[in-house]
Amino acid sequence: MPALRPGALPAAFAIAWTWASSPAQDPSGPPLPGTEPLTLTGDIASRLVDGVDRFLLRELERSVERRARHWKRDLSSHEAYERSVESNRKRLAHILGVRDPRVPFDGLEYVATTARPSLLARGESYEVHAVRWPAFGDVHGEGLLLEPVGRKPLAQVVAIPDADLTPEQVCGLADGVPTESRYAAWLAAQGCRVVVPVLIDRRMATRKPGGGGAELTSREFIYRSAFELGRHLIGYEVQKVLAAVDWMAKRPEPEARRIGVAGWGEGGLIALFAAALDSRIAAACANGCFDDRRNVWQEPIDRNVFGLLDELGDAELASLIAPRALVVEAARGPELVLPGKGGAPARLVTPRIEDVRSEVERARALVKGLEPAPRIELIESGDGKGPFGTPEALRKLLEALTGGKVELVAPVPFVRALEEGPDPAARQARQLHELDRHNQALLAESPYVRAEITKRLDTSSLEKYERSSEELRRFFREEVIGWFEEKPLPPSPRTRKAYEGAGWTGYEVVLDVFPGVIAYGVLLLPADLKPGEKRPTVVCQHGLEGRPEHVIRGDQAAYHDFAAKLAERGFITFAPQNLYLFGDRFRTLQRKANPLKKTLFSIIAPQHQQIVDWLETLEHVDAKRIAFYGLSYGGKTAMRVPALVTDYCLSICSADFNEWVWKNASTRSPYSYVWTGEYEIFEFDLGSTFNYAEMAALIAPRPFMVERGHFDGVAPDEAVGYEFAKVRFLYAARLGVGDRCEIEWFVGPHTIHGKGTFAFLHRHLGWPKR
């Protein structure tokens, strides 16, 4: 699949410069004693990002063979098999965000007004009604019901259209779908009761109230908040389908046993997930969507499921449906390109027939030996690019549901009851509003959910606190940030002299981390170091689109050369190159990492661990006095990396600390990332686990400080103060080390202030002021 096109530039409040490269590089610059010469030329930061990209693509390829470690299939009987995969089913529900209890109900609601009845049309043997039904919270499914008239239903099917099709189109009440692909109408013509839900569409729009901000699809708009809160648009739509299944399961026998799901494109994926989760669904039909899924990072971001490919591809989903029946139709799928006007650039293409065949064969192999053999059928429409929802695929579905031969009859034209049915735009707006409202209710509840996490911490003494925080740190590392099992390589340091400053010398440094992955930065050594002398070190981290040079020279507006100024005060400093530069080149790294249950910080944290481990070997570095100080995206790093890399003895978060979950999930706040181009910024389930106060709790009892300008556009003062108050309470009231926790407020913008923070470093690192 070809590479993505570049998307939008970073959004407001980002620190972004366009300096093209590192300092003028002299490959002959002398190395540090004890290191090899650094001979790389060109843009080392670009090499770093490219290396991580190749590493993640390799990991995606390797994910297929690694999935077996999550499965313990018992093929001795159908009952034993179902029990053996139950834990996998629960994990799938968790990552899809299928967590909210569904609302019980007795019957679908007809959608009617005094001006319009629910009855929209009559077929030869069925009626079409506008309906809705409770799903979860205050959220409803909505769409059409095709109800047999004068006969009992042959079976019951939830027929799910693609996101950019309406229920009316797959029923034949509106144009846009060829007759042979109107699968809801075909199913109804065979005597099935059919429920056709509407999905959230892919319409592009500027979502920010008052205009401005990124252009997002409707699906990405809902996805952004939901992902941060441990939910997912896919999970929401699966819940709507399963709520309809709840109702169907209450029907008399044998209807209650003959429940199926079928869908095309996005609807096919929802059908796959729903059938994988709910064993009441006797058979599923997925049209134009079944694939090996390793290119999911190029698909619309609302398909980004954290950790999916670590455990499940489509073959594994099929194995969760087994021993029930699955019909896969290789057919033309939705095809589109999303340009990335602040939202995530993406493309959808029809799955290659070779990939569909291979994935179906893999699914069959996973359940080989289970008797009776599960029914996994492959129907090829044309060369895999033919019409979808063909009668042959539907016949296979109905035979699986009824257990007998089925001869299909073509649907006859409707007799319309109304000239015009429900307004699709108004229905879509209702669905969007309900899901957004649900997300915002979860956001309001999230502090109480996170409070349960920190109850695990024992604050009765510092020693007990540190012991109790280890389990929470492990959870943060493995379940939130994501951690590669890959053992780091020996660092093999390569260095060269690259800078001369007022009282210090700078060396470029490259270290190996993983195969093809390096750490890169600049080490500043004060000129007055004496043989054998040990000094404190401050790791000075740049922000978005930044480089080590920006914190060293040029007096950049936000940085003010703070690494160099600290070196002038006698500190050793190190300025690492972090991953977040080159726009979409780094943002798609997050897209590649997330399906593996990883994030950008799954690379950044090991890079920092390698940096710290190497710094500790240097003659003049005091291993117990290595501090972290980062601005903006470097401030994000200050919250996450020292929480994991405990060699950092303190952390300073500048121009970033705030109520982070609110900033990512709110659709009311003008400060929210929901409106901006940082589509990679959202981290799965922080709402239920770690806001900045909880991350700071993993830094505690080490010293922690926030540097905050009143006019910083990251967030308003009250959001910063609200979150910091929780941190201060932990340090001062619970742990009795209030002197280790500070915030400096100053009149200024998104910038290093370098007053209170410098004093904080001198005090806690035990280095006299000069």
Side-chain angles (χ1 to χ4, degrees):
M1 195 175 282
L4 289 168
R5 301 187 307 175
L9 292 173
F13 311 135
I15 302 299
W17 290 277
T18 57
W19 291 19
S21 66
S22 299
Q25 295 164 331
D26 177 8
S28 64
L32 272 172
T35 68
E36 293 297 315
L38 175 60
T39 59
L40 286 177
T41 58
D43 192 346
I44 298 177
S46 186
R47 288 173 180 258
L48 188 157
V49 172
D50 282 345
V52 173
D53 185 74
R54 289 190 294 269
F55 176 79
L56 290 173
L57 288 174
R58 286 196 302 270
E59 291 295 303
L60 284 168
E61 289 298 317
R62 296 171 65 186
S63 67
V64 178
E65 64 193 52
R66 291 176 171 176
R67 290 174 199 155
R69 72 191 192 280
H70 293 297
W71 297 81
K72 297 178 180 178
R73 296 181 180 88
D74 183 344
L75 302 173
S76 62
S77 70
H78 283 191
E79 294 75 17
Y81 182 82
E82 288 280 12
R83 289 193 299 271
S84 72
V85 299
E86 185 58 29
S87 61
N88 304 90
R89 188 169 282 130
K90 287 179 178 178
R91 282 194 292 272
L92 176 61
H94 180 81
I95 62 179
L96 291 178
V98 178
R99 306 181 190 182
D100 303 304
R102 289 195 296 277
V103 177
F105 63 98
D106 293 326
L108 305 185
E109 302 171 14
Y110 289 128
V111 178
T113 69
T114 55
R116 195 197 71 217
S118 67
L119 180 64
L120 306 179
R122 290 187 176 89
E124 188 174 51
S125 58
Y126 60 93
E127 295 180 340
V128 183
H129 289 266
V131 294
R132 73 171 197 163
W133 58 97
F136 55 93
D138 295 329
V139 175
H140 295 77
E142 190 167 355
L144 302 180
L145 169 66
L146 286 65
E147 179 70 17
V149 174
R151 60 176 293 181
K152 291 184 177 180
L154 175 69
Q156 303 183 97
V157 181
V158 183
I160 314 163
D162 179 60
D164 286 334
L165 291 180
T166 66
E168 289 76 16
Q169 287 175 301
V170 296
C171 292
L173 287 174
D175 295 333
V177 173
T179 300
E180 67 270 22
S181 295
R182 295 170 180 170
Y183 49 93
W186 276 86
L187 289 166
Q190 314 319 308
C192 294
R193 173 183 290 126
V194 184
V195 173
V196 190
V198 65
L199 299 188
I200 299 300
D201 64 25
R202 302 187 188 98
R203 183 177 60 88
M204 295 281 292
T206 300
R207 308 286 171 176
K208 189 174 184 180
E215 284 191 32
L216 309 176
T217 66
S218 303
R219 297 186 70 79
E220 183 172 354
F221 172 66
I222 296 298
Y223 157 87
R224 288 186 168 196
S225 298
F227 194 79
E228 190 78 11
L229 296 164
R231 305 302 194 275
H232 203 289
L233 178 57
I234 291 173
Y236 286 159
E237 292 181 329
V238 166
Q239 285 274 61
K240 293 179 183 183
V241 169
L242 296 184
V245 170
D246 291 342
W247 172 69
M248 290 176 170
K250 295 178 181 178
R251 302 306 95 201
E253 295 289 351
E255 299 165 35
R257 287 184 286 107
R258 296 177 177 177
I259 299 174
V261 290
W264 177 65
E266 211 66 40
L269 284 178
I270 301 301
L272 268 177
F273 284 121
L277 289 177
D278 198 325
S279 59
R280 296 174 303 173
I281 296 171
C285 182
N287 312 93
C289 66
F290 203 80
D291 205 349
D292 74 7
R293 214 54 64 194
R294 281 173 286 181
N295 284 316
V296 68
W297 64 272
Q298 290 185 315
E299 296 176 0
I301 198 169
D302 54 89
R303 291 187 175 188
N304 179 47
V305 178
F306 188 70
L308 180 67
L309 296 188
D310 183 56
E311 185 166 347
L312 301 118
D314 283 8
E316 285 79 13
L317 287 174
S319 79
L320 281 180
I321 296 172
R324 295 162 290 132
L326 171 64
V327 179
V328 173
E329 184 179 53
R332 177 179 61 83
E335 298 188 346
L336 59 92
V337 173
L338 298 176
K341 297 179 179 179
R347 56 182 292 139
L348 273 181
V349 297
T350 295
R352 298 190 318 150
I353 187 64
E354 298 86 355
D355 292 338
V356 181
R357 290 170 182 160
S358 174
E359 197 71 2
V360 167
E361 284 306 311
R362 206 166 64 80
R364 289 169 176 162
L366 291 174
V367 295
K368 186 176 181 180
L370 188 59
E371 296 294 342
R375 189 170 182 172
I376 303 177
E377 305 256 14
L378 174 59
I379 306 298
E380 298 185 10
S381 178
D383 59 355
K385 297 183 179 180
F388 61 88
T390 59
E392 177 64 9
L394 298 181
R395 183 176 67 81
K396 292 288 188 181
L397 172 68
L398 291 176
E399 287 179 350
L401 287 173
T402 61
K405 288 290 183 181
V406 173
E407 296 296 330
L408 298 190
V409 297
V412 300
F414 289 109
V415 175
R416 287 184 174 274
L418 294 173
E419 285 300 315
E420 293 186 6
D423 179 357
R427 180 176 58 200
Q428 187 72 208
R430 287 194 297 272
Q431 292 281 289
L432 268 173
H433 174 71
E434 286 186 352
L435 289 177
D436 178 42
R437 185 172 60 191
H438 185 75
N439 282 341
Q440 299 312 297
L442 292 173
L443 175 59
E445 183 66 19
S446 67
Y448 306 102
V449 178
R450 292 191 300 275
E452 295 301 310
I453 292 279
T454 52
K455 284 182 179 178
R456 307 174 194 175
L457 295 171
D458 185 345
T459 58
S460 61
S461 72
L462 292 182
E463 293 76 16
K464 290 181 179 179
Y465 182 86
E466 289 180 304
R467 285 198 299 271
S468 66
S469 66
E470 281 308 307
E471 176 58 26
L472 206 57
R473 193 184 326 280
R474 183 204 62 77
F475 180 82
F476 183 58
R477 179 178 63 244
E478 296 177 9
E479 301 298 324
V480 179
I481 296 297
W483 207 251
F484 285 104
E485 296 172 4
E486 188 96 31
K487 185 178 179 180
L489 298 171
S492 303
R494 287 87 77 195
T495 68
R496 65 176 166 229
K497 183 178 176 180
Y499 295 89
E500 281 288 354
W504 52 262
T505 302
Y507 292 84
E508 286 186 287
V509 179
V510 170
L511 308 171
D512 292 330
V513 181
F514 297 133
V517 176
I518 60 172
Y520 165 60
V522 176
L523 176 71
L524 302 188
L525 295 175
D528 61 349
L529 285 167
K530 297 177 178 60
E533 181 186 12
K534 296 288 188 182
R535 290 198 188 177
T537 300
V538 183
V539 174
C540 301
Q541 189 63 68
H542 63 74
L544 183 65
E545 299 294 334
R547 295 173 179 268
E549 183 169 355
H550 296 151
V551 304
I552 296 170
R553 69 182 188 186
D555 196 25
Q556 294 292 325
Y559 297 122
H560 304 302
D561 302 343
F562 76 106
K565 287 179 178 176
L566 286 168
E568 291 165 10
R569 289 171 173 245
F571 294 99
I572 297 170
T573 65
F574 187 86
Q577 176 66 66
N578 261 7
L579 283 176
Y580 33 78
L581 77 166
F582 305 120
D584 281 336
R585 284 178 60 194
F586 94 81
R587 293 197 161 99
T588 55
L589 298 180
Q590 184 86 314
R591 295 291 316 274
K592 293 164 187 169
N594 276 182
L596 298 168
K597 198 180 176 183
K598 306 295 188 292
T599 64
L600 286 175
F601 287 97
S602 304
I603 298 289
I604 292 171
Q607 286 174 320
H608 275 266
Q609 186 67 67
Q610 197 80 317
I611 288 166
V612 171
D613 288 347
W614 175 71
L615 287 172
E616 290 173 353
T617 69
L618 299 184
E619 176 189 5
H620 296 295
V621 171
D622 184 340
K624 296 188 180 300
R625 292 188 292 169
I626 302 177
F628 190 97
Y629 186 177
L631 173 112
S632 193
Y633 225 122
K636 294 171 182 58
T637 310
M639 298 309 303
R640 292 158 180 80
V641 167
L644 297 173
V645 180
T646 55
D647 303 73
Y648 283 123
C649 69
L650 67 77
S651 183
I652 299 174
C653 177
S654 176
D656 183 70
F657 189 92
N658 70 100
E659 215 278 50
W660 182 253
V661 172
W662 164 83
K663 181 172 175 61
N664 282 268
S666 173
T667 55
R668 174 63 184 86
S669 167
Y671 296 91
S672 177
Y673 276 125
V674 169
W675 318 121
T676 72
E678 285 92 343
Y679 58 81
E680 88 296 342
I681 207 79
F682 306 94
E683 297 160 283
F684 183 64
D685 206 14
L686 286 192
S688 303
T689 55
F690 290 88
N691 205 339
Y692 274 8
E694 289 75 31
M695 293 183 201
L698 293 181
I699 296 170
R702 291 168 287 163
F704 174 71
M705 183 173 182
V706 171
E707 185 174 45
R708 163 68 188 178
H710 287 301
F711 296 108
D712 191 333
V714 162
D717 279 354
E718 57 268 26
V720 178
Y722 165 78
E723 193 69 8
F724 182 77
K726 294 184 258 183
V727 182
R728 176 68 185 171
F729 178 78
L730 172 65
Y731 274 80
R734 301 298 299 275
L735 296 176
V737 289
D739 60 319
R740 301 184 190 180
C741 181
E742 293 184 22
I743 186 169
E744 181 189 26
W745 306 88
F746 65 93
V747 179
H750 192 75
T751 187
I752 293 287
H753 188 51
K755 300 292 192 298
T757 52
F758 282 18
F760 190 81
L761 289 168
H762 280 291
R763 183 166 68 256
H764 289 286
L765 295 180
W767 185 248
K769 296 179 182 178
R770 293 185 175 181

